[in-house]
């Protein structure tokens, strides 16, 4: 009898009392699955890298916008002049940030999973984790609906291609991505729900995970204090980790290395950005 294929999901706290769920890759059973896993990792890393490049310039504009707003305020400029940049940045964030943390997680639940293990720091409330998952599963039918809606847009792509080939290709590519993404999320929700129904889900409060986060966080806090003492940066306060609070990017990067959890840092940042922009609101 073949052993069960267990999908391990890391659960970490973030802003507004929400949780981030990061599914690790299933261990491959044969060379074909190994190559498929590597290909999936490369594609995910490429997609995140593109998003990071765009985000670097966009959030650079945001930092400049906030600086302009602050400088204008101190100089007594007119409100309209000192607020337009910050308003544009705020509106742009809302337009480009999707409320799709559930989709990001559910589409990473593979059909081949026989068991799911949720690993989280013991300081987190397991009931709160289960409640957030239950909300996602209860609303998962929307992925099937959006799968059909985006599928219906393919004729529009072909019609546009008769007149404007480049825009049509761009829209067609994004359309394909949306169709595949919603299909995977719908299938992941069904797989996860079925595993819940047959009792193939375990909840593991991990002291080791919490100790790792605390140890790395203490080191990062120390480094931030050194930067502040050296005068390299001006900080009104230094970040310190609290068991139910947001996790610093530098902590996530090191935790990803220690746990060998591919793209943990980027998937956490994407979910965190959603909760930051929409004040903790989840499903759209």
């Amino acid at each position: 009898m073949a052993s069960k294929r267990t999908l391990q999901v890391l659960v970490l706290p973030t802003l507004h009392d929400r949780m981030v769920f990061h599914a690790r890759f299933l261990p491959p059973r044969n060379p074909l699955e190994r190559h498929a896993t590597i290909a999936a990792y490369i594609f995910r890393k490429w997609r995140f890298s593109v998003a990071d490049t765009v985000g670097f310039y966009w959030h650079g504009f945001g930092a400049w916008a906030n600086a302009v707003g602050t400088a204008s305020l101190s100089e007594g400029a007119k409100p309209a002049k000192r607020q337009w940049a910050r308003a544009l940045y705020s509106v742009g964030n809302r337009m480009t940030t999707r409320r799709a943390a559930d989709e990001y997680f559910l589409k990473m639940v593979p059909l081949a999973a026989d068991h799911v293990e949720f690993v989280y720091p013991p300081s987190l409330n397991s009931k709160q984790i289960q409640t957030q998952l239950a909300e996602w599963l209860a609303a998962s039918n929307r992925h099937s609906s959006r799968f059909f809606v985006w599928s219906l847009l393919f004729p529009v792509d072909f019609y546009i291609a008769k007149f404007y080939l480049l825009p049509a290709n761009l829209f067609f590519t994004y359309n394909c991505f949306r169709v595949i993404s919603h299909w995977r999320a719908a299938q992941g929700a069904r797989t996860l729900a079925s595993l819940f129904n047959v009792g193939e889900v375990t909840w593991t409060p991990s002291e080791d995970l919490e100790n790792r986060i605390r140890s790395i966080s203490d080191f990062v806090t120390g480094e931030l204090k050194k930067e502040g003492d050296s005068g390299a940066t001006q900080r009104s306060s230094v970040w310190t980790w609290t068991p139910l609070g947001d996790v610093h990017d530098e902590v996530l990067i090191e935790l990803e290395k220690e746990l060998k959890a591919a793209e943990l840092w980027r998937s956490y940042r994407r979910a965190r950005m959603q909760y930051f922009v929409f004040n903790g609101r989840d499903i759209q």
Side-chain angles (χ1 to χ4, degrees), residues 62-97:
W64 171 84
N66 288 325
V68 167
T70 302
S72 300
L73 182 63
S74 63
E75 294 166 6
K78 295 181 180 180
K81 184 177 180 180
R82 67 173 179 254
Q83 291 179 5
W84 74 266
R86 284 181 293 178
L88 177 61
Y89 178 64
S90 177
V91 171
N93 275 340
R94 286 182 171 272
M95 292 178 62
T96 57
T97 301

Side-chain angles (χ1 to χ4, degrees), residues 4-58:
K4 292 181 180 179
R5 306 193 69 182
T6 298
L7 176 71
Q8 189 178 77
V9 179
L10 300 176
V11 185
L12 298 175
T14 188
L15 304 174
H16 300 289
D17 296 322
R18 305 302 291 177
M19 308 294 168
V20 176
F21 297 79
H22 177 78
R24 307 180 73 166
F25 288 112
L26 278 178
R29 283 184 169 178
N30 52 59
L32 180 61
E33 287 189 359
R34 183 176 294 105
H35 292 316
T37 300
I38 292 173
Y41 168 74
I42 292 174
F43 176 74
R44 190 195 300 185
K45 192 172 185 65
W46 170 81
R47 184 162 51 86
F48 275 132
S49 296
V50 172
D52 283 348
T53 302
V54 175
F56 173 80
Y57 291 104
W58 172 247

Side-chain angles (χ1 to χ4, degrees), residues 18-19 21 128-136 275 282:
R18 305 302 291 177
M19 308 294 168
F21 297 79
Q128 187 176 355
I129 298 172
Q130 294 174 35
T131 298
Q132 185 169 328
L133 275 176
E135 291 173 355
W136 287 357
Y275 296 129
D282 210 334

Side-chain angles (χ1 to χ4, degrees), residues 180-282:
I180 294 171
S181 185
H182 285 299
W183 180 83
R184 290 175 59 196
Q187 295 302 313
R190 293 193 185 100
T191 300
L192 188 58
S194 65
L195 293 176
F196 267 106
N197 291 335
V198 297
E200 288 294 344
V201 175
T202 56
W203 306 91
T204 305
S206 172
E207 292 283 355
D208 177 67
L209 177 59
E210 183 153 326
N211 290 336
R212 286 175 186 268
I213 297 173
R214 180 176 290 107
S215 176
I216 300 170
S217 297
D218 289 343
F219 174 78
V220 170
T221 299
E223 292 299 304
L224 293 175
K225 287 180 178 178
K226 289 179 183 178
E227 290 180 10
D229 293 340
S230 67
T233 57
Q234 298 296 323
R235 299 177 186 273
S236 57
S237 62
V238 175
W239 175 87
T240 56
W241 181 68
T242 57
L244 299 179
D246 191 58
V247 184
H248 196 283
D249 281 1
E250 294 298 327
V251 177
L252 293 168
I253 292 172
E254 190 60 34
L255 190 65
E256 178 182 312
K257 294 177 183 177
E258 289 192 6
L259 299 178
K260 297 181 180 179
E263 303 305 318
L264 170 63
W265 166 51
R266 288 186 169 101
S267 62
Y268 184 100
R269 285 200 314 169
R270 181 167 58 175
R272 176 214 278 151
M273 186 65 180
Q274 169 193 315
Y275 296 129
F276 170 73
V277 171
F278 296 104
N279 296 316
R281 292 195 297 275
D282 210 334

Side-chain angles (χ1 to χ4, degrees), residues 101-110 133 136-137 140 143 184-189 192:
D102 63 320
E103 178 188 323
Y104 300 147
F105 165 63
L106 291 173
K107 70 181 184 180
M108 297 310 299
V109 177
L133 275 176
W136 287 357
L137 291 177
S140 61
H143 297 298
R184 290 175 59 196
Q187 295 302 313
L192 188 58

